[in-house]
Amino acid sequence: MVDSRLGQWLKLVVSLLLLLKTQGLYVGITYVKSAVAKGAVCLDGSPPAYHWDKGSGTGINSWLIHFEGGGWCNNVTNCLSRKKTHLGSSKLMGQQIAFSGIMNNKRPFNPDFYNWNRVKIRYCDGSSFTGDVQAVNPATNLHFRGARIWLAVIEDLLPKGLKNAENALLSGCSAGGLASILHCDSFRSLLPMGTTVKCLSDAGYFINVRDVSGAPHVQTYFNEIVTLHGSAKNLPLSCTSTLKPSFCFFPQYVAPQVRTPLFILNAAYDSWQIRNILAPGNADPLGVWKSCKLDINNCSPLQLKAMQDFRLRFLNALNKATNSSSGGLYIDSCYAHCQTETQEKWFMADSPMLGKMKIAKAVGDWFYDRSPFHKIDCPYPCNPSCQNSGLAPPDNSEKKPPNGSAESVKMSKLSCGGLLMLMGVMLA
């Protein structure tokens, strides 16, 4: 009995130490105040912002530029609501945010990018950094200037060392993952000719598919975004020259023309797309899908069939975009959304694997040309490494106190104290 309790105690100690060791670095915010004069502002007119942890050692001239995600706003009403949050105003952004996963500064948890210059561009425009409308309605004071924000941040970083970049990776999660595709070639054009430039889209490959009621819900939604934000002129010309601009908000119509090496990381059963594209609330008025969307294990056989059909449509939409030998592909069969920003999915002992390869290793090998990675997982539920939480990275960046602050230390002491109390009970 004592041995059993001791074993549990040791497990708790190891878990605590691992948690403390992998906690991300807290990085302060930088406001691009000079951008305001150029009209490069958030929805509420506040300046754009980013967080930058400087590179060191062999990574001093390597840059990871990461777009924050957070959906979109497709009409004045929800843009007005959005501007009252950190996704529409830099005034409401946390002064410090934690860098974890691909942004982690510790080699054991981010082997290839830990010592790079790592920049997270905050998302406050609601258009995946594509909007540009000059006029501002005084009644709403909404500014649709996402494309200007993107350029203003890059212009601010160039003299800070980005102009000397030897390696550069443009990445993003969700709406940020879409931005990394839409801006991939323009990013390449903004950097010196000798720079090795590649792009990584995490959970940004949103597909054009009808919902469970048969309605083209996401097509209508994306059309409203592009129209409201005036995005058409900032979408890739290689696409808009042949298709309606709103179609060029879908990666399947843009990615085939992207010339810069592009790595697509996505769950075939992307939980955000299942919830909001395949089975959005207006297509499921009785809430039949509610339990299934929360946990894939709750899905009925008919719902699972619909999700398997979605996977096939996803793979079909992906097919033409991934023929390039310079590109990468990691399509697992997890029920997940965003896998680069959370440590447990990016690179930990129990992280998801595809072909015995963790995401961090696959991306690193691809970027450094050590080995290509181009794999698609077998259908659900074949991959036992999937965690299948279905959740995007928790939005704790605005809530957690700065690392080392009095409140942070207090929280750590409370956590440790609680654990010690639990140990005492177990060993009593």
Side-chain angles (χ1 to χ4, degrees), residues 9 14 29 57 83 86 99 113 129 146 159 163 170 188 243 253 291 311 314 345 366 375 401 403 407 415 426:
W9 178 81
V14 170
I29 197 167
K83 83 169 187 174
H86 68 274
F99 274 16
F113 308 108
F129 300 87
K163 65 180 180 182
L170 182 67
R188 158 72 277 186
L243 291 175
Y253 307 117
S291 179
R311 172 183 177 271
F314 180 87
K345 292 179 181 176
W366 164 79
K375 293 187 184 297
N403 198 19
E407 189 179 352
S415 299
M426 292 175 64

Side-chain angles (χ1 to χ4, degrees), residues 208 219 226 239 243-254:
N208 185 9
Q219 188 181 123
V226 170
C239 178
L243 291 175
K244 182 181 177 183
S246 60
F247 279 90
C248 300
F249 213 65
F250 288 101
Q252 68 198 79
Y253 307 117
V254 173

Side-chain angles (χ1 to χ4, degrees), residues 137-182:
N137 186 336
T140 63
N141 196 38
L142 285 171
H143 299 71
F144 302 114
R145 307 282 178 76
R148 296 192 200 185
I149 289 175
W150 155 241
L151 291 175
V153 170
I154 295 300
E155 287 172 6
D156 194 66
L157 291 171
L158 283 169
K160 294 179 178 179
L162 183 58
K163 65 180 180 182
N164 302 317
E166 296 171 1
N167 297 299
L169 177 62
L170 182 67
S171 67
C173 154
S174 192
L178 172 58
S180 70
I181 296 174
L182 299 178

Side-chain angles (χ1 to χ4, degrees), residues 197-218:
V197 181
K198 298 187 179 184
C199 304
L200 164 64
S201 173
D202 175 15
Y205 207 91
F206 301 95
I207 65 168
N208 185 9
V209 64
R210 291 179 179 270
D211 63 30
V212 290
S213 73
H217 171 73
V218 71

Side-chain angles (χ1 to χ4, degrees), residues 277-297:
I277 293 180
L278 178 65
N282 57 1
D284 181 35
L286 299 179
V288 175
W289 276 81
K290 184 177 181 180
S291 179
C292 171
K293 290 193 291 184
L294 289 173
D295 185 342
I296 196 171
N297 295 308

Side-chain angles (χ1 to χ4, degrees), residues 305-318:
K305 182 182 183 306
M307 292 171 69
Q308 298 292 12
D309 290 343
F310 176 88
R311 172 183 177 271
L312 293 176
R313 291 188 177 93
F314 180 87
L315 296 181
N316 183 59
L318 193 67

Side-chain angles (χ1 to χ4, degrees), residues 10-61:
L10 290 173
K11 285 181 181 179
L12 282 169
V13 171
V14 170
S15 297
L16 176 63
L17 291 174
L18 188 60
L19 175 65
L20 294 174
K21 191 176 181 181
T22 60
Q23 261 192 332
L25 171 77
Y26 280 85
V27 179
I29 197 167
T30 298
Y31 299 100
V32 190
K33 295 180 180 178
S34 60
V36 176
K38 304 171 186 176
V41 293
C42 299
L43 285 172
D44 71 335
S46 57
Y50 61 84
H51 299 255
W52 172 30
D53 186 38
K54 294 182 180 180
S56 62
T58 57
I60 200 164
N61 287 321

Side-chain angles (χ1 to χ4, degrees), residues 315-362:
L315 296 181
N316 183 59
L318 193 67
N319 185 44
K320 293 181 181 179
T322 56
N323 292 330
S324 171
S325 60
S326 66
L329 193 65
Y330 193 110
I331 308 298
D332 57 36
S333 61
C334 304
Y335 186 61
H337 184 66
C338 289
Q339 300 180 87
T340 58
E341 294 184 351
T342 53
Q343 197 59 53
E344 61 269 24
K345 292 179 181 176
W346 176 245
F347 196 68
M348 290 287 282
D350 59 348
S351 293
M353 291 194 292
L354 178 53
K356 298 182 179 180
M357 186 80 78
K358 293 176 183 176
I359 295 167
K361 185 69 165 59

